[in-house]
């Protein structure tokens, strides 16, 4: 029943409602339907003995400012509790693990309205025995962050344009997956037909590594493959075009940056060009360096990690070692094509083992 219909009934039945008197406005919790993405409507009866009238008709703008209008309720002439005419929930949808993901594109702009809707939504989701709540707040809604934290949300992770917060509803420790624990780096070992290695000197590095000639390295960006990332990094730092051959080794270390772990993949690449063009934003110099000179650098010889990586690359060049080549395979579990890295020593196309 709309507000205009209520007003019409009140006017035409004034004689029947003469005993009705205004009540003091208080807040209470109504019985509501659980319609996701919709407002929860209070249940009522319009019989003469169970009568309600609105305190005030509010425009949609007014409702945005103060929440929702309250209704007065009276049963058989006795004052009863008041309830909200239009208690709104946050728009959200279920995830596949029994949790809830709040629609970040339909959040209210007013922090007070957001606080009321958030509290009401949490109560509803608890009653529905939901598990985790995922709340993504874009940077333009950053003033809603302290509101969510006050209601019990915790930081999960942040990106350039948003912060993700979570709330675990059941009793006990949260079962929600933690934030990403690793950063992923790549290094490109590029050697030409003259047995020269493509090496660089970085413009910014720790003093102990000043003057070190090293292979081009960098980080994988979001949604980038290891094999394409290694080719990209070499191109950006040196201008050399390459073709991915294999992952020859990878390193795993912990507590590297902001307490995150690090995975670093050493990739063997085949050069497709020779002319070096240095990226002067990051790289001090780049050149083709004879393999023997590269290996004999004191910092290489004194570091067991560096030395072992070079030994592996030399073994691969001598066809005494097989790395991991990339294979694109589709999985029925997620319906996506993935990159699987493995070696196939018995393949007729294999070229990493000498005859």
């Amino acid at each position: 029943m709309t507000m205009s219909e209520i007003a019409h009934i009140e006017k035409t039945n004034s004689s029947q409602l003469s005993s009705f008197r205004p009540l003091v406005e208080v807040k209470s919790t109504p019985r509501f339907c659980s319609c996701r993405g919709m407002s929860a409507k209070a249940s009522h009866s319009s019989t003469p003995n169970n009568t309600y009238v609105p305190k005030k008709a509010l425009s949609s703008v007014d409702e945005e400012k103060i929440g929702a209008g309250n209704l007065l309720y009276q049963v058989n002439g006795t004052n009863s509790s008041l309830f909200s005419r239009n208690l709104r929930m946050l728009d959200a949808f279920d995830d596949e693990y029994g949790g809830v993901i709040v629609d970040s594109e339909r959040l209210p702009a007013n922090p007070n309205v957001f606080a009321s809707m958030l509290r009401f939504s949490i109560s509803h989701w608890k009653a529905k025995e939901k598990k985790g709540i995922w709340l993504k707040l874009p940077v333009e809604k950053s003033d809603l962050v302290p509101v969510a934290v006050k209601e019990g949300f915790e930081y999960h992770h942040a990106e350039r344009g948003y912060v993700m917060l979570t709330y675990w509803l059941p009793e006990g420790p949260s079962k929600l997956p933690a934030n990403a624990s690793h950063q992923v780096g790549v290094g490109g070992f590029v050697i030409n037909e003259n047995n020269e290695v493509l090496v660089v000197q970085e413009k910014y590095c720790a003093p102990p590594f000043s003057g070190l000639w090293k292979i081009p390295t960098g980080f994988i960006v979001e949604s980038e493959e290891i094999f394409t990332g290694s080719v990209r990094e070499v191109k950006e730092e040196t201008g050399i075009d390459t073709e991915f051959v294999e992952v020859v080794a990878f390193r795993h270390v912990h507590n590297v940056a902001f307490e995150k772990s690090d995975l670093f993949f050493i990739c063997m690449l085949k050069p497709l060009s020779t002319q070096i063009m240095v990226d002067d934003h990051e790289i001090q110099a780049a050149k083709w360096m004879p393999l023997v000179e590269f290996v004999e650098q004191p910092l290489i010889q004194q570091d067991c990690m560096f030395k072992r990586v070079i030994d592996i690359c030399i073994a691969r060049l001598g066809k005494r070692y097989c790395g991991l080549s990339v294979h694109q395979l589709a999985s029925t579990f997620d319906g996506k094509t993935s990159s699987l890295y493995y070696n196939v020593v018995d393949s007729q196309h294999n070229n990493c083992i000498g005859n």
Side-chain angles (χ1 to χ4, degrees):
M1 180 176 292
T2 65
M3 299 297 296
S4 59
E5 291 173 334
I6 294 172
H8 178 70
I9 292 173
E10 181 182 5
K11 182 178 180 180
T12 56
N13 295 282
S14 57
S15 60
Q16 297 181 32
L17 301 176
S18 58
S19 61
F20 186 87
R21 60 186 181 279
L23 304 177
V24 178
E25 177 185 358
V26 296
K27 293 183 178 180
S28 65
T29 302
R31 193 175 73 221
F32 55 87
C33 62
S34 56
C35 300
R36 192 174 69 234
M38 299 176 62
S39 301
K41 304 296 183 180
S43 62
H44 65 273
S45 171
S46 58
T47 58
N49 290 331
N50 295 331
T51 308
Y52 70 93
V53 295
K55 175 190 175 186
K56 176 184 178 183
L58 298 176
S59 68
S60 59
V61 175
D62 292 331
E63 289 184 355
E64 176 70 12
K65 289 180 179 178
I66 67 172
N70 289 332
L71 292 180
L72 313 183
Y73 195 80
Q74 191 175 54
V75 180
N76 295 326
T78 303
N79 294 354
S80 183
S81 62
L82 308 182
F83 58 89
S84 171
R85 177 180 61 81
N86 189 14
L87 288 176
R88 295 177 58 199
M89 288 179 56
L90 293 172
D91 291 287
F93 53 90
D94 297 337
D95 64 22
E96 58 184 311
Y97 304 103
V100 176
I101 301 174
V102 177
D103 188 345
S104 61
E105 297 183 355
R106 304 189 65 179
L107 294 168
N110 187 304
N112 293 327
V113 174
F114 173 70
S116 298
M117 294 175 68
L118 183 60
R119 285 192 292 267
F120 181 70
S121 299
I122 291 173
S123 297
H124 171 69
W125 292 326
K126 282 183 177 179
K128 290 293 182 180
E129 297 184 347
K130 295 297 181 181
K131 296 181 179 178
I133 305 173
W134 296 87
L135 176 61
K136 179 180 178 181
L137 296 179
V139 66
E140 59 270 18
K141 298 288 181 67
S142 58
D143 54 343
L144 303 183
V145 172
V147 178
V149 171
K150 185 177 180 180
E151 294 302 323
F153 278 79
E154 298 178 345
Y155 291 110
H156 188 268
H157 69 273
E159 295 290 346
R160 185 183 299 271
Y162 71 88
V163 60
M164 180 70 76
L165 299 101
T166 60
Y167 190 116
W168 182 249
L169 294 171
E171 295 292 333
S174 173
K175 301 293 181 65
L176 294 173
N179 182 27
S181 59
H182 287 68
Q183 61 183 16
V184 180
V186 290
F189 186 85
V190 186
I191 190 163
N192 61 20
E193 294 178 350
N194 299 321
N195 227 26
E196 295 172 323
V197 183
L198 181 62
V199 293
V200 299
Q201 283 185 342
E202 293 186 339
K203 183 171 287 189
Y204 308 102
C205 61
F209 301 107
S210 178
L212 172 68
W213 290 99
K214 56 183 282 294
I215 63 175
T217 61
F219 289 109
I220 294 293
V221 298
E222 186 175 359
S223 300
E224 186 177 37
E225 299 282 357
I226 293 170
F227 69 94
T228 55
S230 62
V231 170
R232 175 188 54 78
E233 280 293 341
V234 170
K235 176 68 174 180
E236 289 178 355
E237 294 189 358
T238 69
I240 297 296
D241 295 310
T242 60
E243 177 184 344
F244 174 83
V245 180
E246 291 173 349
V247 171
V248 294
F250 67 89
R251 181 207 65 181
H252 192 200
V253 66
H254 307 287
N255 298 318
V256 175
F258 303 104
E259 301 180 357
K260 298 298 182 181
S261 299
D262 180 272
L263 279 169
F264 181 73
F265 293 84
I266 298 96
C267 304
M268 179 159 287
L269 307 176
K270 177 183 177 181
L272 301 178
S273 63
T274 59
Q275 187 65 40
I276 292 175
M277 297 179 61
V278 174
D279 173 18
D280 55 10
H281 294 288
E282 298 182 11
I283 303 302
Q284 184 69 37
K287 67 178 182 179
W288 292 101
M289 187 178 197
L291 178 59
V292 174
E293 292 182 22
F294 176 64
V295 174
E296 288 179 350
Q297 292 183 96
L299 285 173
I300 297 287
Q301 290 295 318
Q302 295 167 11
D303 189 284
C304 61
M305 179 74 71
F306 279 152
K307 191 172 185 304
R308 179 55 59 90
V309 168
I310 300 306
D311 288 343
I312 291 172
C313 292
I314 293 174
R316 174 61 183 84
L317 292 172
K319 297 186 177 182
R320 302 187 306 274
Y321 175 88
C322 282
L324 308 176
S325 56
V326 62
H327 305 266
Q328 300 290 318
L329 300 171
S331 172
T332 56
F333 284 99
D334 56 15
K336 297 180 180 180
T337 299
S338 302
S339 296
L340 187 64
Y341 293 80
Y342 61 92
N343 59 30
V344 183
V345 296
D346 58 348
S347 171
Q348 61 178 348
H349 302 293
N350 179 63
N351 63 356
C352 65
I353 299 298
N355 295 325

